[in-house]
mmCIF file of all heavy atoms in Angstrom:
data_model
loop_
_atom_site.group_PDB
_atom_site.id
_atom_site.type_symbol
_atom_site.label_atom_id
_atom_site.label_comp_id
_atom_site.label_asym_id
_atom_site.label_seq_id
_atom_site.Cartn_x
_atom_site.Cartn_y
_atom_site.Cartn_z
ATOM 1 N N THR X 336 -99.570 -33.619 -35.501
ATOM 2 C CA THR X 336 -99.497 -33.061 -36.856
ATOM 3 C C THR X 336 -98.674 -33.977 -37.752
ATOM 4 O O THR X 336 -98.998 -34.204 -38.912
ATOM 5 C CB THR X 336 -98.838 -31.663 -36.823
ATOM 6 O OG1 THR X 336 -99.564 -30.847 -35.921
ATOM 7 C CG2 THR X 336 -98.834 -31.032 -38.194
ATOM 8 N N ILE X 337 -97.567 -34.497 -37.166
ATOM 9 C CA ILE X 337 -96.750 -35.447 -37.912
ATOM 10 C C ILE X 337 -97.114 -36.848 -37.441
ATOM 11 O O ILE X 337 -97.026 -37.157 -36.249
ATOM 12 C CB ILE X 337 -95.250 -35.169 -37.695
ATOM 13 C CG1 ILE X 337 -94.926 -33.745 -38.147
ATOM 14 C CG2 ILE X 337 -94.411 -36.180 -38.468
ATOM 15 C CD1 ILE X 337 -93.479 -33.344 -37.941
ATOM 16 N N ASP X 338 -97.536 -37.690 -38.412
ATOM 17 C CA ASP X 338 -98.073 -39.000 -38.055
ATOM 18 C C ASP X 338 -97.014 -40.094 -37.989
ATOM 19 O O ASP X 338 -97.194 -41.092 -37.295
ATOM 20 C CB ASP X 338 -99.091 -39.443 -39.125
ATOM 21 C CG ASP X 338 -100.122 -38.371 -39.399
ATOM 22 O OD1 ASP X 338 -99.876 -37.503 -40.278
ATOM 23 O OD2 ASP X 338 -101.169 -38.397 -38.728
ATOM 24 N N VAL X 339 -95.963 -39.925 -38.743
ATOM 25 C CA VAL X 339 -95.033 -41.028 -38.962
ATOM 26 C C VAL X 339 -93.586 -40.594 -38.790
ATOM 27 O O VAL X 339 -93.222 -39.473 -39.167
ATOM 28 C CB VAL X 339 -95.214 -41.572 -40.400
ATOM 29 C CG1 VAL X 339 -94.117 -42.550 -40.770
ATOM 30 C CG2 VAL X 339 -96.585 -42.226 -40.553
ATOM 31 N N ILE X 340 -92.784 -41.507 -38.191
ATOM 32 C CA ILE X 340 -91.336 -41.343 -38.261
ATOM 33 C C ILE X 340 -90.828 -42.417 -39.218
ATOM 34 O O ILE X 340 -90.988 -43.615 -38.953
ATOM 35 C CB ILE X 340 -90.679 -41.528 -36.878
ATOM 36 C CG1 ILE X 340 -91.120 -40.412 -35.925
ATOM 37 C CG2 ILE X 340 -89.154 -41.517 -37.019
ATOM 38 C CD1 ILE X 340 -90.632 -40.597 -34.503
ATOM 39 N N ALA X 341 -90.275 -41.987 -40.339
ATOM 40 C CA ALA X 341 -89.692 -42.913 -41.308
ATOM 41 C C ALA X 341 -88.202 -42.573 -41.418
ATOM 42 O O ALA X 341 -87.777 -41.530 -40.954
ATOM 43 C CB ALA X 341 -90.380 -42.756 -42.654
ATOM 44 N N THR X 342 -87.423 -43.447 -42.035
ATOM 45 C CA THR X 342 -85.980 -43.186 -42.025
ATOM 46 C C THR X 342 -85.474 -42.401 -43.231
ATOM 47 O O THR X 342 -84.509 -41.678 -43.128
ATOM 48 C CB THR X 342 -85.170 -44.499 -41.981
ATOM 49 O OG1 THR X 342 -85.467 -45.253 -43.170
ATOM 50 C CG2 THR X 342 -85.492 -45.316 -40.756
ATOM 51 N N ASP X 343 -86.134 -42.530 -44.397
ATOM 52 C CA ASP X 343 -85.550 -42.028 -45.648
ATOM 53 C C ASP X 343 -84.134 -42.576 -45.771
ATOM 54 O O ASP X 343 -83.179 -41.860 -46.106
ATOM 55 C CB ASP X 343 -85.544 -40.489 -45.691
ATOM 56 C CG ASP X 343 -85.275 -39.965 -47.099
ATOM 57 O OD1 ASP X 343 -85.106 -40.781 -48.032
ATOM 58 O OD2 ASP X 343 -85.202 -38.734 -47.271
ATOM 59 N N HIS X 344 -83.999 -43.862 -45.485
ATOM 60 C CA HIS X 344 -82.697 -44.533 -45.543
ATOM 61 C C HIS X 344 -82.127 -44.368 -46.948
ATOM 62 O O HIS X 344 -82.698 -44.839 -47.921
ATOM 63 C CB HIS X 344 -82.915 -46.020 -45.228
ATOM 64 C CG HIS X 344 -81.688 -46.872 -45.365
ATOM 65 N ND1 HIS X 344 -80.661 -46.846 -44.455
ATOM 66 C CD2 HIS X 344 -81.339 -47.784 -46.295
ATOM 67 C CE1 HIS X 344 -79.722 -47.715 -44.824
ATOM 68 N NE2 HIS X 344 -80.109 -48.292 -45.936
ATOM 69 N N ALA X 345 -80.995 -43.687 -47.055
ATOM 70 C CA ALA X 345 -80.429 -43.342 -48.368
ATOM 71 C C ALA X 345 -78.938 -43.677 -48.388
ATOM 72 O O ALA X 345 -78.093 -42.803 -48.230
ATOM 73 C CB ALA X 345 -80.648 -41.860 -48.670
ATOM 74 N N PRO X 346 -78.609 -44.946 -48.580
ATOM 75 C CA PRO X 346 -77.197 -45.343 -48.546
ATOM 76 C C PRO X 346 -76.455 -44.906 -49.813
ATOM 77 O O PRO X 346 -77.035 -44.877 -50.897
ATOM 78 C CB PRO X 346 -77.285 -46.884 -48.487
ATOM 79 C CG PRO X 346 -78.588 -47.215 -49.133
ATOM 80 C CD PRO X 346 -79.517 -46.070 -48.855
ATOM 81 N N HIS X 347 -75.188 -44.538 -49.644
ATOM 82 C CA HIS X 347 -74.336 -44.197 -50.788
ATOM 83 C C HIS X 347 -72.981 -44.842 -50.590
ATOM 84 O O HIS X 347 -72.559 -45.112 -49.461
ATOM 85 C CB HIS X 347 -74.149 -42.678 -50.907
ATOM 86 C CG HIS X 347 -75.385 -41.970 -51.353
ATOM 87 N ND1 HIS X 347 -75.885 -42.079 -52.635
ATOM 88 C CD2 HIS X 347 -76.226 -41.165 -50.687
ATOM 89 C CE1 HIS X 347 -76.987 -41.366 -52.727
ATOM 90 N NE2 HIS X 347 -77.226 -40.798 -51.567
#
Side-chain angles (χ1 to χ4, degrees):
Chain X
T336 304
I337 301 178
D338 309 88
V339 170
I340 294 174
T342 62
D343 194 1
H344 175 74
H347 289 290

